Amino acid sequence: MAKTSDRRRRPTTATAPSEASGPPARGTPCSGCGLVVEGGVEGCQALFDDESAREYADIRFAARRRMIVDTYCLQHPERYCASAKSLAAHLTGLCIAIEHRGREEGLNAAIQRWLDRRPELEKPPLPKARGPLTIAAVRAATDLVDHRAAVDGWARGTWDAYAALHPIARAWVARVT
């Protein structure tokens, strides 16, 4: 397991440049999000897997599960957004979570049906910077209030990093509404 900034685990070594709040972290930068963590991209994946386990163990932390998955995938597009279809799924998922709160279930189902028909999509260039926060911010949250704030801040920062693709995401969502 990767060493994390989660207050329940010791020692801590996972930080992103904007999340640093102490001595510099040791480790390797994740090639997706830039988080400095033991193991680089695999250590970052371990943090995501740990977060997933927490959400499955305590349903209260899973309220924004789809947002968490879409945000993580957009910060690691080499692994999770290799095709235009997978990018469309995660980009529209985050768009819906941020801009259409309360309508996520229906809109995400409509997007899935649309993508199942294999529309012709062109994959646009992706941003180099993918947001100021990483999964480490979510893992550091120890109570439900902090967790929700961390997830929302992380997702919003990632969405903002993809600003050049907002028109495309909105057009894809508009296709199903």
Side-chain angles (χ1 to χ4, degrees), residues 66 89 92-93 96 103-117 173 176-177:
R66 172 71 193 256
T92 58
I96 290 165
R103 297 180 56 208
E104 293 101 331
E105 188 174 335
L107 287 174
N108 283 323
I111 288 289
Q112 185 61 52
R113 287 189 300 274
W114 171 65
L115 290 174
D116 285 346
R117 291 192 302 267
V173 171
V176 304
T177 57

Side-chain angles (χ1 to χ4, degrees), residues 103-175:
R103 297 180 56 208
E104 293 101 331
E105 188 174 335
L107 287 174
N108 283 323
I111 288 289
Q112 185 61 52
R113 287 189 300 274
W114 171 65
L115 290 174
D116 285 346
R117 291 192 302 267
R118 298 186 177 169
E120 284 196 36
L121 300 173
E122 185 174 324
K123 185 177 175 184
L126 303 178
K128 298 271 187 243
R130 299 178 182 139
L133 298 176
T134 69
I135 189 67
V138 176
R139 291 298 302 138
T142 57
D143 65 45
L144 194 55
V145 172
D146 288 346
H147 185 265
R148 287 183 179 159
V151 169
D152 286 344
W154 176 45
R156 172 60 69 182
T158 302
W159 177 243
D160 290 347
Y162 275 79
L165 300 186
H166 289 180
I168 294 168
R170 290 175 181 134
W172 287 339
V173 171
R175 286 184 184 185

